[in-house]
């Protein structure tokens, strides 16, 4: 993930996500005010185990974004010595707490934890990160409207659309097959009738496959993996990578300065996908609240 700004090709993708983020946040603020007039306030609980600096920053940033749109965001920060059983029990309590509408577990979890067990302990109706097997099943089965789409892949799609691009019939290359971005994004693109190429560590001639794309999404987690020679002129490039550098700064998976000279549009890091992602988490929380209001008891259980 990343942090601030991005618009997209025809609307100035080089500048970041700020315009679309401000537009979405304004819409969410209006929605929250409407809900508050009926006595309802959406609430998100973010559960964090340990004090890994990036995870702590992401969790606290969600609280800052929540404040901007009027959402209640509770950060439940647990020490690294916390057991997996305690975390699962905590999630069960949140599942059955009617005041909590969305639940998100900040990753990574301690190495001794079974990630699937923890994530699938979240009630699907409160799974605003779209990580449970139930919500992934809706995604894979082409039933997106029944569940929650993972925010980072959805951010990539929204930035593509904001650039004035329609994925239908386009050659889209996704570099990275991770559970957080690459895999779900590939399915979402297929649902939108794109012709998708997925590249990974075993891919041969990565550069050639990238050059064939009219839309390229980098989500490999390798700093500046994508260079100018790998991008055809006029390509829209979405950088969903975030990598820390020795000086404490961050960079994406794309060599921004070099690729910018040939790309139709390119999202920066920080300032692109990640900024939008945190806002989409808030949108999913509002959606969760509405679904639970329409289906009493939907939040409880797994």
């Amino acid at each position: 993930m990343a942090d601030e700004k991005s618009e997209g090709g025809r609307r100035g993708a080089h500048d970041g996500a700020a315009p679309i983020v401000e537009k979405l946040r304004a819409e969410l603020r209006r929605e929250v005010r409407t809900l508050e007039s009926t006595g309802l306030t959406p609430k998100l609980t973010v559960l964090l185990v340990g004090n890994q600096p990036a995870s702590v920053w992401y969790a606290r940033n969600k609280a800052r974004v929540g404040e901007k749109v009027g959402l209640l965001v509770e950060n439940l920060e647990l020490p690294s010595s916390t057991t997996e059983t305690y975390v699962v029990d905590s999630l069960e309590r949140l599942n059955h707490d009617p005041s909590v509408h969305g639940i998100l577990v900040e990753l990574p979890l301690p190495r001794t934890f079974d990630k699937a067990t923890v994530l699938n302990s979240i009630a699907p109706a409160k799974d605003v990160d779209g990580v449970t097997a139930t919500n992934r099943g809706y995604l894979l089965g082409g039933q997106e409207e029944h569940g929650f789409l993972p925010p980072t892949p959805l951010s990539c799609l929204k930035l593509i659309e904001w650039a004035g691009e329609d994925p239908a019939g386009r050659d889209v290359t996704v570099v990275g097959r991770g559970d957080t971005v690459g895999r779900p994004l590939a399915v979402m693109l297929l649902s939108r009738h794109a012709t998708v190429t997925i590249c990974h560590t075993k891919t041969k001639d990565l550069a050639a496959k990238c050059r064939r794309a009219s839309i390229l999404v980098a989500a490999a987690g390798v700093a500046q993996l994508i260079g100018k020679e790998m991008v055809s002129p006029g390509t829209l490039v979405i950088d969903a990578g975030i990598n820390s550098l020795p000086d404490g700064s961050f960079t994406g998976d794309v060599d921004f300065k070099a690729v910018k000279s040939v790309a139709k549009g390119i999202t920066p890091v920080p300032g692109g996908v990640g900024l939008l992602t945190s806002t989409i988490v808030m949108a999913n929380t509002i959606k969760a609240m509405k679904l639970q209001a329409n289906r009493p008891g939907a939040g409880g259980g797994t």
Side-chain angles (χ1 to χ4, degrees):
M1 300 194 336
D3 183 20
E4 291 240 340
K5 295 180 159 189
S6 178
E7 255 194 278
R10 298 192 185 101
R11 308 194 196 196
H14 303 328
D15 300 327
I20 185 174
V21 166
E22 286 308 312
K23 181 177 183 293
L24 180 56
R25 287 182 182 175
E27 292 171 358
L28 296 179
R29 282 192 290 270
R30 287 193 293 271
E31 242 184 310
V32 169
R33 283 197 293 268
T34 299
L35 288 167
E36 286 179 334
S37 68
T38 66
L40 300 171
T41 302
K43 180 179 177 181
L44 167 70
T45 296
V46 179
L47 188 147
L48 171 66
V49 184
N51 58 356
Q52 205 268 348
S55 297
V56 171
W57 187 91
Y58 286 131
R60 294 177 182 175
N61 183 59
K62 289 180 180 70
R64 289 190 288 270
V65 175
E67 185 177 358
K68 291 183 180 188
V69 299
L71 232 82
L72 292 175
V73 179
E74 170 192 44
N75 281 340
L76 184 56
E77 299 183 13
L78 303 174
S80 55
S81 58
T82 304
T83 65
E84 181 179 315
T85 299
Y86 185 85
V87 170
V88 170
D89 288 345
S90 298
L91 291 172
E92 286 293 339
R93 287 194 295 273
L94 294 170
N95 287 339
H96 291 91
D97 183 344
S99 73
V100 175
H101 307 103
I103 302 170
L104 185 149
V105 174
E106 205 67 65
L107 299 176
L109 290 163
R111 293 182 181 180
T112 56
F113 284 28
D114 182 88
K115 185 172 77 170
T117 297
V118 173
L119 297 182
N120 283 309
S121 297
I122 302 170
K126 295 188 177 186
D127 171 28
V128 295
D129 217 14
V131 293
T132 60
T134 297
N135 280 315
R136 289 297 168 96
Y138 285 136
L139 173 60
L140 190 59
Q143 298 174 291
E144 293 181 3
E145 70 279 5
H146 293 301
F148 295 97
L149 296 177
T152 303
L154 186 53
S155 296
C156 295
L157 281 179
K158 285 191 174 294
L159 287 168
I160 290 170
E161 293 166 1
W162 185 253
E165 300 290 340
D166 181 354
R170 306 295 294 279
D171 289 313
V172 184
T173 295
V174 178
V175 182
R177 56 179 171 180
D179 289 337
T180 303
V181 186
R183 287 177 190 266
L185 176 59
V187 176
M188 292 160 73
L189 286 164
L190 285 171
S191 296
R192 288 155 181 79
H193 311 295
T195 300
V196 184
T197 298
I198 307 170
C199 299
H200 45 78
T201 53
K202 301 298 182 183
T203 296
K204 295 180 180 179
D205 202 349
L206 174 64
K209 291 177 174 60
C210 290
R211 284 193 295 268
R212 287 207 301 265
S214 58
I215 300 172
L216 175 64
V217 182
V222 179
Q224 299 189 353
L225 172 67
I226 308 298
K228 178 180 178 180
E229 74 286 354
M230 301 171 71
V231 179
S232 295
T235 300
L236 174 64
V237 180
I238 306 295
D239 192 346
I242 181 72
N243 309 281
S244 59
L245 297 175
D247 64 0
S249 63
F250 293 93
T251 188
D253 287 1
V254 180
D255 184 341
F256 182 84
K257 289 182 179 178
V259 172
K260 180 179 178 180
S261 65
V262 296
K264 178 180 186 176
I266 176 173
T267 59
V269 176
V273 172
L275 175 64
L276 183 53
T277 294
S278 57
T279 302
I280 288 176
V281 169
M282 305 306 147
N284 278 354
T285 302
I286 293 171
K287 176 183 176 181
M289 181 184 198
K290 290 178 176 178
L291 289 174
Q292 290 159 37
N294 292 332
R295 292 182 291 148
T302 55

